[in-house]
Amino acid sequence: MARIVGAVTTSHVPAIGGAIAKGRQDEPYWKPFFSAFGKARDWLARVKPDVAVVVYNDHGLQFFLDKMPTFAVGAADEYRNADEGWGLPTLPPYRGDAALSWHLIESLVADEFDITSCQEVLVDHAFTVPLQLLWPGPAPCPVATVPVMVNTVQHPLPSPARCLKFGAALGRAIASWPSDARVLVLGTGGLSHQLEGPRAGFINPEFDRMCMAKIVEEPEALGGYSIRQLVELAGSQGAELLNWLVARAALGGRVSKVHSNYHVPVSNTASGMMVLENWS
Ligand code: DHB
Ligand code: FE
């Protein structure tokens, strides 16, 4: 059966993609952010995933407010990137694994998650930027990918408790895939940020640090927050924490933190990163 090698959670701010395109990783503004990823890449070199299941939220490139699935899974052999208007170069297509995707979709639906299956997905910065951070350079991303999209944009959003259950079901689905593949679960977005309205620029380091600790020790505790509380405490786009909860819950059981970083700000966002591994 397939094996989950661990999870990486990271912010997905488009400006990171701009800094990569312009080679700004060592500039004073960017260094504290980028330098944290060396250890994540060392870990990847050790655990050698074949596939990344990327849990993220689309920002209007694929879905818009008129049609918004709560949970959606890509089922294609290739995923194209396209211009979102952030001034980022459009990246070459990412390799998919349609057989794994369909296994995940069948397993999730059998597990009572009525997800939307998508035989075509345009992948946005929330998918591409984290993959660029983990596998930098001009070569195509070396792992196959499966996009898993969570609605963190158009209310009503799934609750933190629901996302923990969805993540657990995703973990069971991956672990029941008859294959010897090594699977990384990647959760993108967050941490606290709000891009619009009177609270634009809102960041809450105390809440972020608490979430990073609970994700390791006691993720169920985060399941007690309502979406309203989450938006109040983390900002309207801080609701992207839901993607982290899905990725964490996919690991199940107890985890250890291999590496983490927290740095404020990256663009308008409190950036967080964690590498998590199941206890062996
Ligand atoms: C920013 C953060 C995001 O999560 C996003 O999707 C777009 C922009 C930002 O901080 O600029
Ligand atoms: Fe975002």
Side-chain angles (χ1 to χ4, degrees):
M1 293 296 165
R3 177 161 169 247
I4 299 182
V5 295
V8 175
T9 53
T10 174
S11 302
H12 62 215
V13 175
I16 301 165
I20 293 171
K22 295 179 183 126
R24 295 192 166 154
Q25 292 91 330
D26 291 327
E27 292 182 6
Y29 180 87
W30 287 107
K31 206 174 168 70
F33 171 77
F34 279 102
S35 58
F37 283 84
K39 286 196 178 140
R41 292 196 290 267
D42 292 346
W43 176 79
L44 287 172
R46 236 181 27 248
V47 301
K48 297 187 176 52
D50 308 299
V51 188
V53 173
V54 187
V55 183
Y56 72 104
N57 58 291
D58 178 78
H59 297 71
L61 182 67
Q62 178 57 65
F63 305 123
F64 201 59
L65 304 182
D66 59 335
K67 299 179 195 72
M68 183 61 74
T70 302
F71 298 115
V73 177
D77 281 321
E78 184 178 275
Y79 301 102
R80 283 182 301 115
N81 177 225
D83 186 10
E84 296 174 71
W86 296 107
L88 303 178
T90 299
L91 297 169
Y94 288 79
R95 182 161 54 92
D97 186 329
L100 170 58
S101 291
W102 284 114
H103 171 81
L104 298 183
I105 290 163
E106 287 184 12
S107 175
L108 286 165
V109 172
D111 223 344
E112 302 182 357
F113 282 91
D114 305 321
I115 47 95
T116 302
S117 57
C118 306
Q119 296 187 50
E120 202 170 64
V121 182
L122 285 178
V123 289
D124 75 3
H125 66 275
F127 178 99
T128 61
V129 163
L131 289 170
Q132 283 183 289
L133 287 166
L134 297 182
W135 287 284
C141 178
V143 295
T145 57
V146 176
V148 174
M149 291 148 281
V150 178
N151 170 27
T152 71
V153 172
Q154 167 82 328
H155 291 256
L157 312 185
S159 69
R162 182 71 175 152
C163 288
L164 289 171
K165 285 184 190 156
F166 178 68
L170 181 64
R172 287 192 292 274
I174 295 168
S176 66
W177 189 35
S179 141
D180 56 8
R182 300 170 64 79
V183 182
L184 170 73
V185 183
L186 181 52
T188 90
L191 286 170
S192 60
H193 63 302
Q194 172 144 345
L195 301 178
E196 82 289 328
R199 289 209 309 165
F202 174 79
I203 280 177
N204 187 350
E206 200 184 327
F207 182 71
D208 290 337
R209 290 191 185 280
M210 184 278 293
C211 288
M212 288 176 81
K214 292 286 182 201
I215 276 175
V216 180
E217 295 152 14
E218 198 191 356
E220 323 72 69
L222 300 175
Y225 287 94
S226 67
I227 287 295
R228 193 188 168 91
Q229 288 171 320
L230 183 61
V231 168
E232 274 172 12
L233 288 162
S236 46
Q237 281 73 40
E240 292 174 349
L241 178 74
L242 296 174
N243 302 322
W244 287 45
L245 297 184
V246 172
R248 164 61 181 93
L251 296 188
R254 317 254 340 231
V255 301
S256 44
K257 183 173 76 178
V258 180
H259 185 55
S260 75
N261 188 49
Y262 183 74
H263 175 69
V264 177
V266 168
S267 188
N268 303 290
T269 297
S271 74
M273 189 270 268
M274 298 178 93
V275 178
L276 303 172
E277 234 176 23
N278 270 118
W279 279 17
S280 44

